[in-house]
Amino acid sequence: MDNVRLLLIEDDLVDQMAFKRLVANGELPSDCEIAGSVALARDILSRNTPDVIISDYLLGDGTAFDILDLHIDCPVIITTGAGDEEVAVKAIKAGAYDYLIKDAAQNYLKILPVTIEKAIRQKRNEERHRFLSGREYEEALLAGGLGFEETMRLIARAADAESPVLLTGETGTGKSRAAKAIHYGSRVRTMPFMGINCAALPENLIEAELFGYRRGSFTGAVADRKGIFELAEGGTLFLDEIGEMPLHLQSKLLGVLEDKQVRRIGDESARHVNVRIIAATGVDVEHSLGRTFRKDIFYRLSVIRIHMPPLRERRADIPELCKFVLREIAEGRDVRLPDSEVAKLVSYEWPGNIRELKNVLERAVILQGRDLRPSTLLGSPALVCGPSGPARSKGQIPTLAEIEKNHIRQSLEIMSRNVTQTAKALGISLSTLKRKIKEYGLK
Ligand SMILES: Nc1ncnc2c1ncn2[C@@H]1O[C@H](COP(=O)(O)OP(=O)(O)OP(=O)(O)O)[C@@H](O)[C@H]1O
Ligand SMILES: [Mg+2]
């Protein structure tokens, strides 16, 4: 029970002592506060949310129901004196996680640590599964095994909070996907999720995109336009590659975060905005801090900081990720990934992280038919889409359309879904690309 914070609400000094003994023996986590009354508990809870609350039923200034009424987002275990069983049942109905009857021999203290552990495990599972339901949130689903649990927990916490979040991690580790997961797990999930990639736009455009402008404020500004801050009103604004934002815009952004006001370029007065900010950076923060990444904005944004670990540090998750990604891309086709292949994927370095894993599996599905051997595609450039090796049987020849579709999909991914840049890279016009995106159902 690492990193677990308990709150015991108990007015009986003898029971308090017994509890303290469990803590001293290491049977319960040391981060444990004790409140002798409902009032004291309220005070503690107004400052911190524990992971589990253990509350005696009858307290000097109230009952455990007063605690349940606070609807704190953590399991509450109720302890009652013998004879209060009926109350205990009511407590469960009112949302308590479990109850323990205090017996004279204090046997309940033996069950307490296990009960607390079970409560914590269940809560963490719930946090994980919040993201695993609902079709419209598909793009925000996060797959992962044990190596990802801590990150998932942080993401769930971030979803519950309203403060800014800073996501860090190498390319392809899932920062953008995590930003969506946070938004769709949050209270404002039905409000807009808007994103802007600060590295993909020239300096003058970023400012116009972020804050909007008034017609005539510069050449080309033919009509008034809202910035992305206003468009995200009530929802979440995802600032990708924040470390690449020009310094003077970083300080302007800081101003917006502090007073929640944006002023369109050319406008005289500012408007109030209410948006939740999630920022991401792939650059080494410690290195760029104070140079290309302003310290003040960094601290303002990293109220919650989540580091997405590289895939090579969470190899145990690779089998689970493969299953998930294959389900996503095989679209009902019958494909098989033998264990020997999974083992090879587990031992690979994955410099491009989950994006690379996804690309390799996509190419395998397109090029290899039913029995996948993605390990043969490792280390080859992600964009080579044509059959790199000879097709081994007639049934394995992908259609040109399949190859084109996949090539467009991967190019979009690499260009962070910027269609203008993707069209340029592919050497086709924007309208052609848009038509093909529609045709292949890629949006
Ligand atoms: N936990 C996950 N489960 C399933 N798919 C994932 C997961 N994490 C990331 N992906 C997928 O992997 C690819 C790369 O993820 P994403 O674009 O979020 O990475 P990123 O860290 O934002 O990369 P970059 O720094 O290049 O912007 C995407 O296709 C994404 O959908
Ligand atoms: Mg990204």
Side-chain angles (χ1 to χ4, degrees):
M1 280 195 269
D2 288 339
N3 273 331
V4 166
R5 185 186 291 156
L6 298 185
L7 172 63
L8 171 73
I9 312 172
E10 172 64 76
D11 57 349
D12 186 312
L13 290 181
V14 176
D15 287 333
Q16 281 191 10
M17 286 303 292
F19 193 86
K20 279 181 191 161
R21 260 200 309 278
L22 286 181
V23 174
N25 292 344
E27 288 178 65
L28 288 179
S30 55
D31 188 354
C32 168
E33 283 193 89
I34 299 185
S37 66
V38 173
L40 263 172
R42 273 211 186 98
D43 183 47
I44 292 172
L45 289 169
S46 69
R47 281 179 279 118
N48 278 310
T49 305
D51 294 291
V52 176
I53 298 173
I54 303 107
S55 177
D56 188 29
Y57 166 59
L58 212 55
L59 296 154
D61 57 346
T63 69
F65 283 98
D66 297 313
I67 305 297
L68 289 174
D69 281 348
L70 297 174
H71 297 290
I72 304 289
D73 185 25
C74 84
V76 181
I77 299 167
I78 311 260
T79 55
T80 69
D84 280 335
E85 283 87 347
E86 223 173 281
V87 169
V89 174
K90 267 193 211 148
I92 298 276
K93 283 189 182 152
Y97 170 76
D98 203 352
Y99 67 88
L100 297 173
I101 309 269
K102 288 182 181 170
D103 52 326
Q106 297 205 319
N107 276 324
Y108 80 100
L109 287 177
K110 292 188 192 134
I111 319 170
L112 188 60
V114 191
T115 312
I116 292 174
E117 225 177 307
K118 261 172 47 197
I120 290 168
R121 219 175 309 131
Q122 181 179 317
K123 177 80 197 313
R124 287 187 183 164
N125 270 337
E126 276 169 18
E127 285 170 342
R128 270 184 65 120
H129 283 92
R130 288 221 342 252
F131 298 112
L132 300 178
S133 56
R135 266 195 86 76
E136 70 262 49
Y137 307 144
E138 239 168 41
E139 270 200 66
L141 294 182
L142 296 173
L146 284 172
F148 202 40
E149 254 182 7
E150 187 53 32
T151 316
M152 285 290 269
R153 201 169 145 226
L154 285 172
I155 287 171
R157 290 240 161 129
D160 283 337
E162 282 169 27
S163 36
V165 180
L166 182 67
L167 295 158
T168 56
E170 293 173 12
T171 182
T173 49
K175 299 182 296 296
S176 300
R177 189 141 174 151
K180 277 190 198 143
I182 293 172
H183 172 76
Y184 285 112
S186 81
R187 196 177 50 77
V188 297
R189 61 176 72 91
T190 55
M191 305 302 279
F193 174 87
M194 302 291 295
I196 179 171
N197 185 333
C198 306
L201 292 168
E203 193 165 331
N204 55 339
L205 261 188
I206 301 183
E207 186 165 7
E209 284 288 326
L210 281 176
F211 307 118
Y213 50 80
R214 200 181 145 91
R215 79 182 129 17
S217 55
F218 53 86
T219 356
V222 289
D224 290 356
R225 211 178 125 174
K226 280 185 183 177
I228 201 162
F229 261 100
E230 284 179 69
L231 293 172
E233 177 63 28
T236 305
L237 174 54
F238 176 48
L239 301 169
D240 206 357
E241 306 287 0
I242 183 88
E244 307 279 317
M245 187 185 266
L247 283 170
H248 80 276
L249 282 180
Q250 289 183 28
S251 66
K252 215 166 162 178
L253 177 66
L254 184 66
V256 176
L257 297 181
E258 309 263 88
D259 358 306
K260 298 188 180 303
Q261 306 260 340
V262 286
R263 201 158 57 80
R264 294 185 190 173
I265 301 172
D267 249 0
E268 268 172 24
S269 57
R271 298 156 208 260
H272 182 81
V273 284
N274 174 29
V275 286
R276 201 265 173 99
I277 304 289
I278 302 179
T281 178
V283 299
D284 183 356
V285 173
E286 268 59 44
H287 212 80
S288 57
L289 211 56
R291 285 190 273 208
T292 52
F293 197 173
R294 284 181 61 120
K295 281 187 183 164
D296 46 12
I297 189 93
F298 167 77
Y299 290 119
R300 187 76 187 76
L301 289 173
S302 49
V303 177
I304 301 176
R305 183 168 165 193
I306 304 177
H307 182 70
M308 305 298 289
L311 198 48
R312 62 181 175 280
E313 282 174 19
R314 37 181 289 223
R315 293 178 191 277
D317 292 352
I318 291 176
E320 174 96 15
L321 279 166
C322 288
K323 256 193 244 159
F324 182 91
V325 168
L326 280 178
R327 224 179 299 133
E328 210 176 56
I329 58 183
E331 291 165 351
R333 263 176 290 183
D334 179 27
V335 291
R336 288 176 201 177
L337 187 64
D339 289 346
S340 58
E341 276 295 310
V342 176
K344 284 180 192 159
L345 298 183
V346 167
S347 59
Y348 180 64
E349 269 305 290
W350 300 112
N353 296 299
I354 303 180
R355 175 175 299 114
E356 187 182 5
L357 175 67
K358 215 170 151 171
N359 285 348
V360 165
L361 290 173
E362 268 177 10
R363 293 182 53 215
V365 166
I366 288 177
L367 302 174
Q368 299 176 334
R370 198 186 71 168
D371 294 301
L372 305 181
R373 294 189 304 117
S375 68
T376 58
L377 304 168
L378 290 177
S380 47
L383 264 176
V384 179
C385 269
S388 47
R392 274 167 313 282
S393 77
K394 283 180 187 166
Q396 291 179 346
I397 297 176
T399 65
L400 283 177
E402 273 178 323
I403 291 179
E404 186 175 65
K405 174 180 176 185
N406 192 47
H407 187 56
I408 292 176
R409 193 200 322 227
Q410 292 187 344
S411 310
L412 280 165
E413 191 78 53
I414 284 168
M415 293 299 182
S416 301
R417 304 215 138 243
N418 181 320
V419 272
T420 316
Q421 288 194 0
T422 308
K424 228 180 248 167
L426 291 173
I428 55 178
S429 73
L430 186 60
S431 54
T432 307
L433 178 62
K434 282 186 173 162
R435 181 171 49 75
K436 286 182 186 291
I437 286 174
K438 216 168 137 195
E439 197 175 305
Y440 292 131
L442 286 171
K443 262 276 150 79

